[in-house]
Structures are given as C-alpha cells and as structure tokens.
C-alpha cells in the first residue's frame, strides 16, 4: 500500500513509500503508457538524467517562479547550479535547447518516465 509515515521517516514530507500491489501498479502504469506512446503513436522512449542545470529549469519556466518548490544541490554539479527534476518534461524539452531544428525533422516526439521531485 501507500505508506506516507515510512516516507516521512526516510525523507520528510512530499514523498511516498509504495509497497506490494500499489508499487506494482505504479510500474505497470508507467510501462503501459510508455508502450502505448512508443508503439502506437511513434514517440521515442528516452531515459534522461534526474539532475539538470539551472538553465534547463529556466528554459521550461520552472525557475525562478518555482525555486522554493525545487530540490537544489548544495554544491555545484560539473561547475553549475543543479536541481533534481520536477518532471521528465524538463530534460526532454531541453534536449534541443539552443538548437535550430530543421522543419523536415519536426515534430520530434519523446516520452519518458522519471521520478518527479
């Protein structure tokens, strides 16, 4: 089941421990939607880093607006201010940040399943 008390013991608020059928359901739902989007809609499954630089969060509008809600590292990562991702959208969207894309290559459709911090 869902165990918020165990999660609070481990990590504080905003986290959950899932066990048994609930944990299996979470895994199954992620697999279902990844399979649906890759198999039926032509998306490219993409596994992305769970840490990104501040620039990526600025590119998706998370910073500075939601800075208080984000989990930042206390020390730089590869010389940059870094954060845990709030959703897979942040790294997926930023895969092409700063690039000029050829119109013939559009649309580009990525799908990914990540923890959300």
């Amino acid at each position: 089941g869902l165990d918020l008390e165990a999660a609070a013991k481990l990590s504080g608020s905003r986290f959950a421990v899932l066990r048994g059928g609930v944990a299996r359901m979470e895994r199954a739902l992620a697999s279902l939607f990844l399979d649906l989007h890759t198999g039926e809609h032509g998306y490219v499954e993409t596994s992305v880093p769970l840490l990104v630089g501040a620039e990526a969060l600025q590119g998706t509008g998370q910073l500075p607006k939601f800075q208080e809600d984000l989990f930042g590292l206390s020390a730089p990562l590869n010389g940059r201010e870094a954060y845990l991702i709030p959703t897979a959208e942040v790294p997926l969207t930023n895969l092409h940040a700063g690039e000029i894309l050829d119109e013939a290559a559009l649309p580009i459709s990525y799908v990914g399943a990540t923890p959300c911090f």
Side-chain angles (χ1 to χ4, degrees):
L2 174 65
D3 191 342
L4 298 177
E5 188 175 306
K9 177 181 173 183
L10 297 170
S11 305
S13 63
R14 297 173 55 180
F15 294 94
V17 169
L18 306 180
R19 291 192 180 104
V22 176
R24 278 193 307 280
M25 182 174 66
E26 179 188 42
R27 177 174 41 86
L29 284 171
S31 292
L32 170 71
F33 286 109
L34 288 169
D35 290 347
L36 174 71
H37 288 296
T38 57
E40 296 184 26
H41 301 293
Y43 283 64
V44 175
E45 185 172 348
T46 308
S47 180
V48 293
L50 301 179
L51 292 165
V52 294
E55 307 81 23
L57 289 155
Q58 290 165 347
T60 55
Q62 307 291 323
L63 283 178
K65 185 175 181 180
F66 299 113
Q67 186 161 7
E68 292 295 318
D69 297 325
L70 297 170
F71 293 95
L73 300 185
S74 59
L77 176 68
N78 298 317
R80 301 186 308 175
E81 183 180 5
Y83 296 83
L84 290 167
I85 61 169
T87 70
E89 171 191 10
V90 172
L92 288 173
T93 302
N94 279 278
L95 286 173
H96 297 287
E99 297 178 17
I100 297 174
L101 302 173
D102 185 352
E103 185 177 1
L106 301 175
I108 299 171
S109 302
Y110 295 125
V111 62
T114 63
C116 299
F117 302 99

